[in-house]
Amino acid sequence: MTNIAVIYYSSTGTNYKLAKWAEEAAKEAGAEVKLVRVAETAPEEAIAQNPAWKQHIEETKDVPVASNDDLEWADGFIFSVPTRFGNVPAQVKSFLDATGGLWFNGKLVNKVVSAMSSAQNPHGGQEQTITNLYTTMFHWGAIVAAPGYSDQSVFASGGNPYGTSVTVDGDGNMQEDVESAVKHQAKRTVDIASRIHGK
């Protein structure tokens, strides 16, 4: 059975929802799946100023925190992260920066990875965020499984070939219908990981 870690960071819930869709689809594709969240490192006073952020943290407190053990266990990863000025959030960067030991020992080579993102406007940096994440994956020696234009759902969700992305309004509502694209991307990741790892 192919092992897939769905790793997300979400402040108010969008990327958690994307991650849950990915988890569901990866399981449907026959993978063993771990859904894990990147640890929240923002100060409590900042979180308290945003009721939706505080509520989401409370609602997902039982989701396991991502660790290097999850990376070593997995044959493939699906990341879901919001954009922060065209890059990954500081919380995600901190998580990635802590993988040096795995990288040094070659434990991340040939892992399969795919990524998704969100922002508050259609050109808010989603593609740049995904490709910036992939830059780290290239250093790992991982194999990127971008969706490309491999399914009609990619076009229906906005046409991002690097990874599914979504626009979210000020009330937290997704502006594009991306569920099918997320599920296609997750199943594609499982398929490629299973081919590479012979499972």
Side-chain angles (χ1 to χ4, degrees):
M1 188 174 280
T2 303
N3 295 335
I4 298 291
V6 179
I7 303 166
Y8 78 92
Y9 173 76
S10 192
S11 52
T12 58
T14 300
N15 286 277
Y16 173 67
K17 192 166 197 176
L18 298 178
K20 289 293 287 181
W21 286 336
E23 176 192 31
E24 178 186 335
K27 285 180 177 177
E28 286 175 1
E32 178 77 22
V33 184
K34 286 185 182 180
L35 176 72
V36 291
R37 61 183 170 87
V38 172
E40 182 59 79
T41 58
E44 287 187 20
E45 55 268 25
I47 296 168
Q49 292 175 11
N50 183 335
W53 192 356
K54 186 175 181 180
Q55 179 181 345
H56 178 67
I57 287 176
E58 183 61 29
E59 290 173 348
T60 56
K61 64 185 178 185
D62 294 331
V63 177
V65 174
S67 71
N68 280 356
D69 289 343
D70 298 317
L71 295 176
E72 189 166 2
W73 167 85
D75 301 307
F77 319 119
I78 301 169
F79 284 91
S80 185
V81 300
T83 186
R84 294 290 186 270
F85 303 111
N87 213 322
V88 299
Q91 293 88 341
V92 177
K93 183 65 166 65
S94 180
F95 172 72
L96 297 174
D97 286 347
T99 62
L102 290 177
W103 165 81
F104 182 79
N105 289 296
K107 300 287 189 180
L108 302 171
V109 173
N110 292 339
K111 303 283 190 172
V112 174
V113 64
S114 204
M116 306 177 287
S117 190
S118 65
Q120 286 193 339
N121 54 69
H123 303 287
Q126 295 100 318
E127 292 182 0
Q128 193 72 25
T129 296
I130 291 169
T131 57
N132 278 332
L133 182 87
Y134 288 160
T135 298
T136 298
M137 304 301 116
F138 295 140
H139 283 258
W140 285 1
I143 297 165
V144 172
Y149 296 109
S150 56
D151 188 77
Q152 192 60 38
S153 63
V154 176
F155 294 96
S157 66
N160 186 342
Y162 309 104
T164 306
S165 63
V166 68
T167 312
V168 183
D169 68 19
D171 295 321
N173 301 307
M174 294 187 195
Q175 298 303 291
E176 298 89 15
D177 184 2
V178 298
E179 183 176 354
S180 293
V182 168
K183 290 182 174 180
H184 166 69
Q185 185 174 345
K187 289 177 180 178
R188 176 171 161 77
T189 305
V190 173
D191 177 49
I192 294 171
S194 65
R195 291 169 190 250
I196 289 170
H197 294 278
K199 295 182 178 180

